Every structure is written in structure tokens, then in C-alpha cells.
Amino acid sequence: AVVYTDVLQTLMMFCGVLVVVIICCIDLGGVGNVWSIADHGGRIQFFNFDTSPYERHTFWSTLVYGFFIMVNGVGFTQITYQRFASVRTLQISQRLLYAFVVGLYMLWIVFYFSGLVAYASYSDCDPLTSGKIKKTDQIIPFLVMDKLSHLTGMAGIFVAGVYGSVLSTLSSCGNSFACIIWEDFLKDRPYFHRLSDASATNVVKLLSLITGMLAVCLSLLVEKMGGIYHVSNSILSSIAGPLAGVFFSGMCAPWVNAKGAIVGLIFSFSFNMWLVIGKFVRGGGSLVRLPLSTEGCAGNLTLLLNSTLSTTSATDNVLATTSPADAVLPISTISQGSTERTLYELSYCYSGVTGIALTYIVSSFVSLCTGPQRELSTSCPIATQA
């Protein structure tokens, strides 16, 4: 039921954003014109081959991050597994994997292109700098209300797409969390072992409800931390990396024992969370904003005078609504980033792979010191092949 619901919600999300992108592209003169405006503004940087790990986005850092997303998101995560496990046979799930990857790339292309459309629409009148919005997360909703308000129902389609994406992710995560807790921690306990199927289903539903409530509470906290993309990617990569490292070690390091896996997971998780907390406290690795223009805004002279006279108050207002790691200053005071190079300045793109590597190395070392795993279970296909 969750998988069928996810399909409908994902289609709503995809169609909602796609409709906005298509209509805005038509108004802007086509895809080629949107691409040209974005390229002229320095928003397209596919071939930045800088090898410094401190640069937020380069060809190499995004390649590493893409590798982690595919390995973790498609290979190890419970959310993906429950989708593939919902079909009848392994062969069907393997074929669906190819369709899943293609659909995922199509979804990403639409989402990222929506950013180019938003930039092209406001290339000469930035809503953030002019004070029409307070956070970068608000740019797409503002675009819908500003440019497409004359189309009846368009705002509703977009909102349906947004809610579809949220509910799709939340339902999958809630179901996965409930299943893992039940299967790994509760099912074999004396009290829960005696429950009927109907009672066990109610317990799983309750666990899913608790997950949803926790997600709502955490969303209220994350909203105060700045841009959702920056915050979510930093935190999720730091948590998912060590977890993916356990799976990776189990498949590629048959000598790793239970003690080694636990120690490796704890060490890697602690290291990653230390870096994440340090980044948000110190503002390390934050995005240096590219130049934004307000030359085409109506009443630009008044805006310029007000901005000049109240730069301090404007800066304080923006800083009050964003985190230190995601602060956005007016054009005249764009941050050029700190010259200090510490671990906190490392790009978030490396967090996931770092978690995998640390888990693998530490778990192998501890396992070799405490007695490596020698007997492989014949019930595990990967272990049998190894």
C-alpha cells in the first residue's frame, strides 16, 4: 500500500514541477534562452576540475557525492529495498532497478533545471536581495505565485506536487523505520512474540505514527537552521555514510566481525557528527553566494538608496533568519569565505564516502585485533560467492 501510494505521490511531484518549468520556459523564450542566461550568470560549471576538497562543488566532489548517493540510495537503504521487495520475484526487482535509475535521473534533471528557470526569471531582479523573500528555499514558491498566478489552479498543482514529495518520503521512511524496529528489536521478544498478526500490525502502525510525529518536530527545528538542502544533505550524508559502511564492510570484508562492525560504526558516526556540528557552529564549508542583480527591479533607485542607508539592518535581518552556515548577505557584502582551511571547511560532498571509508578501515582493524571472522554463513549468497 505504501509503495502504490508513493507512485501516485511521486507522479504528482514530478508533474507539478514539470508544468512550472515548461510554462516558465515558454515565457522566457525557450530552453536555449534559459540556458544562455544561466551560463552568462556563471550558474553552469560542469567542468570545474579543481582538486581541492575544500571547494564546495567541483567535477570531482559531485562525482564522489553522486557515487555515494547511488550506492547508498539504491544499494543499501531500507526505503529502496521495501520497494523492490514488494514485487513477486528477484528478476522483476532487478529489471525495475534500471527503470528506477532512469526515472531518478529524470527527476533530478527537472528539479535542477527548475533552479535555472528561477534564476533566468529573476536574473535582473533577485527576490532575495530585494527583500521579497527571506530564504533561498522560498524562490520556487515565489516564482509560482509571481509568474503563474494568472493561470487558474497552477498554485494548487504546485502545492499538490510539494505535498506529494513530502508525503512520499515521509510514508516510506515511516514504514521502513517501523519494519526495522519490529523485525530486528521487537518481534522475538517474549511479549511481542505472543501477539497475533492483527496486534502486530497495530504495533507497526503505532511505530509509523511515532516516526511521523518525530519528523514533524524535527522539521520545526531544521526550519530554523537555514536552507533545507544544505542542512539535510550535510546531516543525512553524515548519518547514512557510516550505515552504508557497515553494509559495504559486510560484503567486501568477510573478516569483519560483530565487534569490529559496531566499533567502526560508532567511530565513523561520531567523527561525521563532530564535523557536522562544527560546520554549523563555525560556519565552515558554507556556500559562497554568486553575484545577484536588482537592476531590473521596479523602483530600483529607491531600493538602492534604502539598501545603502540600511546595510547594517538588512544584514542583521538576513542573519537572523538563516544559520551561520547558510547566511546570505546583500550584494555589496557577499561573503568571500574564510581563508582558514580546517576539517570544517571540507565540502559536504565527501561526508558520505568518508563515513564508508572510516567504517571499513576501523571495523577491519578492530576485527583483525579481536579475531577475524572465519566462518561465512552459507545462507548468504554474497558470503557464499566470496
Side-chain angles (χ1 to χ4, degrees), residues 76-109:
F76 299 141
T77 179
Q78 171 71 14
I79 298 173
T80 303
Y81 171 77
Q82 75 174 14
R83 289 171 167 82
F84 293 139
S86 66
V87 297
R88 292 188 302 274
T89 65
L90 176 63
Q91 288 72 26
I92 295 177
S93 66
Q94 289 172 337
R95 290 196 298 267
L96 286 175
L97 178 61
Y98 296 105
F100 175 77
V101 171
V102 172
L104 193 61
Y105 276 105
M106 290 176 61
L107 201 62
W108 283 343
I109 289 172

Coordinates of all heavy atoms in Angstrom, one line a residue, residues 76-109:
F76 N 21.7 0.2 -0.5 CA 21.7 -0.2 0.9 C 20.5 0.3 1.6 O 20.1 -0.3 2.7 CB 22.9 0.4 1.6 CG 24.2 -0.2 1.1 CD1 25.3 0.6 1.0 CD2 24.3 -1.5 0.7 CE1 26.5 0.1 0.5 CE2 25.5 -2.0 0.2 CZ 26.6 -1.2 0.1
T77 N 19.8 1.3 1.2 CA 18.8 1.9 2.1 C 17.5 1.1 2.2 O 17.1 0.4 1.2 CB 18.4 3.3 1.6 OG1 17.4 3.9 2.4 CG2 17.9 3.3 0.2
Q78 N 16.9 1.0 3.3 CA 15.7 0.2 3.5 C 14.6 0.7 2.7 O 13.7 0.0 2.3 CB 15.4 0.2 5.0 CG 14.1 -0.4 5.4 CD 14.0 -1.9 5.3 OE1 15.1 -2.5 5.2 NE2 12.8 -2.4 5.3
I79 N 14.5 2.0 2.5 CA 13.4 2.7 1.8 C 13.3 2.1 0.3 O 12.3 1.8 -0.2 CB 13.6 4.2 1.8 CG1 13.5 4.7 3.2 CG2 12.5 4.8 0.9 CD1 13.8 6.2 3.3
T80 N 14.5 2.0 -0.3 CA 14.5 1.4 -1.6 C 14.3 -0.1 -1.6 O 13.5 -0.6 -2.5 CB 15.9 1.7 -2.3 OG1 16.2 3.1 -2.3 CG2 16.0 1.1 -3.7
Y81 N 14.8 -0.8 -0.6 CA 14.6 -2.2 -0.5 C 13.1 -2.6 -0.4 O 12.7 -3.5 -1.0 CB 15.4 -2.8 0.7 CG 15.1 -4.2 0.9 CD1 15.6 -5.2 0.1 CD2 14.2 -4.6 1.9 CE1 15.3 -6.6 0.3 CE2 13.9 -5.9 2.1 CZ 14.4 -6.9 1.4 OH 14.1 -8.2 1.6
Q82 N 12.4 -1.8 0.4 CA 11.0 -2.2 0.5 C 10.2 -2.1 -0.8 O 9.2 -2.8 -1.0 CB 10.3 -1.3 1.6 CG 10.0 0.1 1.2 CD 9.2 0.8 2.3 OE1 9.1 0.4 3.4 NE2 8.6 2.0 1.9
R83 N 10.6 -1.2 -1.7 CA 10.0 -1.1 -3.0 C 10.3 -2.3 -3.8 O 9.4 -2.9 -4.5 CB 10.5 0.2 -3.7 CG 9.9 1.5 -3.1 CD 10.6 2.7 -3.7 NE 10.0 3.9 -3.4 CZ 10.1 4.6 -2.3 NH1 10.9 4.1 -1.4 NH2 9.5 5.7 -2.1
F84 N 11.6 -2.7 -3.9 CA 12.0 -3.9 -4.7 C 11.4 -5.2 -4.1 O 11.2 -6.2 -4.8 CB 13.5 -3.9 -4.8 CG 14.1 -2.8 -5.6 CD1 15.2 -2.2 -5.2 CD2 13.5 -2.4 -6.8 CE1 15.8 -1.2 -5.9 CE2 14.0 -1.3 -7.5 CZ 15.2 -0.7 -7.1
A85 N 11.3 -5.2 -2.8 CA 10.7 -6.4 -2.1 C 9.2 -6.6 -2.3 O 8.7 -7.6 -2.0 CB 11.1 -6.4 -0.6
S86 N 8.6 -5.5 -2.8 CA 7.1 -5.6 -2.9 C 6.7 -6.3 -4.1 O 5.5 -6.6 -4.3 CB 6.5 -4.2 -2.9 OG 6.9 -3.5 -4.0
V87 N 7.6 -6.6 -5.1 CA 7.2 -7.4 -6.3 C 7.4 -8.9 -6.1 O 8.0 -9.3 -5.1 CB 8.1 -6.9 -7.5 CG1 7.8 -5.4 -7.8 CG2 9.6 -7.1 -7.2
R88 N 7.0 -9.7 -7.0 CA 6.9 -11.1 -6.8 C 8.2 -11.8 -6.8 O 8.5 -12.7 -6.0 CB 6.0 -11.7 -7.9 CG 4.5 -11.3 -7.7 CD 3.7 -12.1 -8.7 NE 4.1 -12.0 -10.1 CZ 3.7 -11.0 -10.8 NH1 2.8 -10.0 -10.4 NH2 4.1 -10.9 -12.1
T89 N 9.1 -11.4 -7.7 CA 10.4 -12.2 -7.9 C 11.6 -11.2 -7.9 O 11.5 -10.0 -8.1 CB 10.4 -13.0 -9.2 OG1 10.4 -12.1 -10.3 CG2 9.2 -13.9 -9.3
L90 N 12.8 -11.9 -7.7 CA 14.0 -11.1 -7.7 C 14.3 -10.6 -9.1 O 14.8 -9.5 -9.2 CB 15.2 -12.0 -7.2 CG 16.6 -11.4 -7.3 CD1 16.7 -10.2 -6.4 CD2 17.6 -12.5 -6.9
Q91 N 13.9 -11.3 -10.1 CA 14.2 -10.9 -11.5 C 13.4 -9.6 -11.8 O 13.9 -8.7 -12.5 CB 13.8 -12.0 -12.5 CG 14.8 -13.2 -12.5 CD 14.7 -14.1 -11.2 OE1 13.6 -14.1 -10.6 NE2 15.7 -14.8 -10.9
I92 N 12.2 -9.6 -11.4 CA 11.4 -8.4 -11.6 C 12.0 -7.2 -10.9 O 12.1 -6.1 -11.5 CB 9.9 -8.6 -11.1 CG1 9.2 -9.7 -11.9 CG2 9.1 -7.3 -11.2 CD1 7.8 -10.0 -11.5
S93 N 12.4 -7.3 -9.7 CA 13.1 -6.2 -9.0 C 14.4 -5.8 -9.6 O 14.7 -4.6 -9.7 CB 13.3 -6.6 -7.5 OG 14.3 -7.6 -7.4
Q94 N 15.1 -6.7 -10.2 CA 16.3 -6.3 -10.9 C 16.0 -5.5 -12.2 O 16.7 -4.6 -12.5 CB 17.1 -7.6 -11.3 CG 17.8 -8.3 -10.0 CD 18.4 -9.6 -10.4 OE1 18.0 -10.3 -11.4 NE2 19.3 -10.0 -9.5
R95 N 15.0 -5.9 -12.9 CA 14.6 -5.1 -14.1 C 14.0 -3.8 -13.7 O 14.3 -2.8 -14.4 CB 13.5 -5.9 -14.9 CG 14.1 -7.1 -15.6 CD 13.1 -7.6 -16.7 NE 11.8 -8.0 -16.1 CZ 11.5 -9.3 -15.7 NH1 12.4 -10.2 -15.8 NH2 10.3 -9.5 -15.3
L96 N 13.3 -3.7 -12.6 CA 12.8 -2.5 -12.1 C 13.9 -1.5 -11.7 O 13.7 -0.3 -11.7 CB 11.8 -2.7 -10.9 CG 10.5 -3.3 -11.3 CD1 9.7 -3.5 -10.0 CD2 9.7 -2.3 -12.1
L97 N 15.0 -2.1 -11.3 CA 16.1 -1.2 -10.8 C 16.6 -0.3 -12.0 O 16.9 0.9 -11.7 CB 17.3 -2.1 -10.4 CG 18.6 -1.4 -10.0 CD1 18.3 -0.4 -8.8 CD2 19.7 -2.4 -9.6
Y98 N 16.7 -0.8 -13.2 CA 17.1 0.0 -14.3 C 16.1 1.2 -14.6 O 16.4 2.3 -14.8 CB 17.2 -0.8 -15.6 CG 18.3 -1.9 -15.5 CD1 18.0 -3.2 -15.3 CD2 19.6 -1.5 -15.6 CE1 19.0 -4.2 -15.2 CE2 20.7 -2.4 -15.4 CZ 20.3 -3.8 -15.3 OH 21.3 -4.7 -15.1
A99 N 14.8 0.8 -14.5 CA 13.7 1.9 -14.7 C 13.8 2.9 -13.6 O 13.6 4.1 -13.8 CB 12.4 1.2 -14.7
F100 N 14.1 2.4 -12.4 CA 14.2 3.3 -11.2 C 15.3 4.3 -11.4 O 15.1 5.5 -11.1 CB 14.4 2.4 -9.9 CG 14.7 3.3 -8.7 CD1 13.6 3.9 -8.0 CD2 15.9 3.4 -8.2 CE1 13.8 4.6 -6.9 CE2 16.2 4.1 -7.0 CZ 15.1 4.8 -6.4
V101 N 16.5 3.9 -11.8 CA 17.6 4.8 -12.0 C 17.3 5.8 -13.1 O 17.6 7.0 -12.9 CB 18.9 3.9 -12.4 CG1 20.0 4.9 -12.8 CG2 19.3 3.1 -11.2
V102 N 16.7 5.3 -14.2 CA 16.4 6.3 -15.3 C 15.4 7.3 -14.8 O 15.5 8.5 -15.0 CB 15.8 5.5 -16.5 CG1 15.2 6.5 -17.5 CG2 16.8 4.6 -17.1
G103 N 14.3 6.9 -14.1 CA 13.4 7.8 -13.5 C 14.0 8.8 -12.5 O 13.6 10.0 -12.5
L104 N 14.9 8.3 -11.7 CA 15.6 9.1 -10.7 C 16.4 10.2 -11.4 O 16.3 11.4 -11.0 CB 16.5 8.3 -9.9 CG 17.1 8.9 -8.6 CD1 16.0 9.3 -7.7 CD2 18.1 7.9 -7.9
Y105 N 17.1 9.9 -12.5 CA 17.8 10.9 -13.2 C 16.9 11.9 -13.9 O 17.2 13.1 -13.9 CB 18.7 10.3 -14.3 CG 20.1 9.8 -13.7 CD1 20.3 8.5 -13.5 CD2 21.1 10.7 -13.4 CE1 21.5 8.0 -12.9 CE2 22.3 10.3 -12.8 CZ 22.5 9.0 -12.6 OH 23.7 8.6 -12.1
M106 N 15.8 11.5 -14.4 CA 14.8 12.4 -15.0 C 14.3 13.4 -13.9 O 14.1 14.6 -14.2 CB 13.7 11.6 -15.6 CG 14.0 10.8 -16.9 SD 12.7 9.8 -17.5 CE 11.5 11.1 -17.8
L107 N 14.0 12.8 -12.7 CA 13.5 13.7 -11.7 C 14.5 14.7 -11.3 O 14.2 15.9 -11.1 CB 13.2 12.8 -10.5 CG 12.2 13.3 -9.4 CD1 10.8 13.6 -10.0 CD2 12.1 12.3 -8.3
W108 N 15.8 14.3 -11.2 CA 16.9 15.2 -10.8 C 17.0 16.3 -11.9 O 17.2 17.5 -11.6 CB 18.2 14.5 -10.6 CG 18.3 13.8 -9.3 CD1 17.5 14.0 -8.2 CD2 19.2 12.7 -9.0 NE1 17.9 13.1 -7.2 CE2 18.9 12.3 -7.7 CE3 20.2 12.1 -9.7 CZ2 19.6 11.3 -7.0 CZ3 20.9 11.1 -9.1 CH2 20.6 10.7 -7.7
I109 N 17.0 15.9 -13.2 CA 17.1 16.9 -14.2 C 16.0 18.0 -14.2 O 16.3 19.2 -14.3 CB 17.1 16.2 -15.6 CG1 18.3 15.4 -15.8 CG2 16.9 17.2 -16.7 CD1 18.3 14.5 -17.0

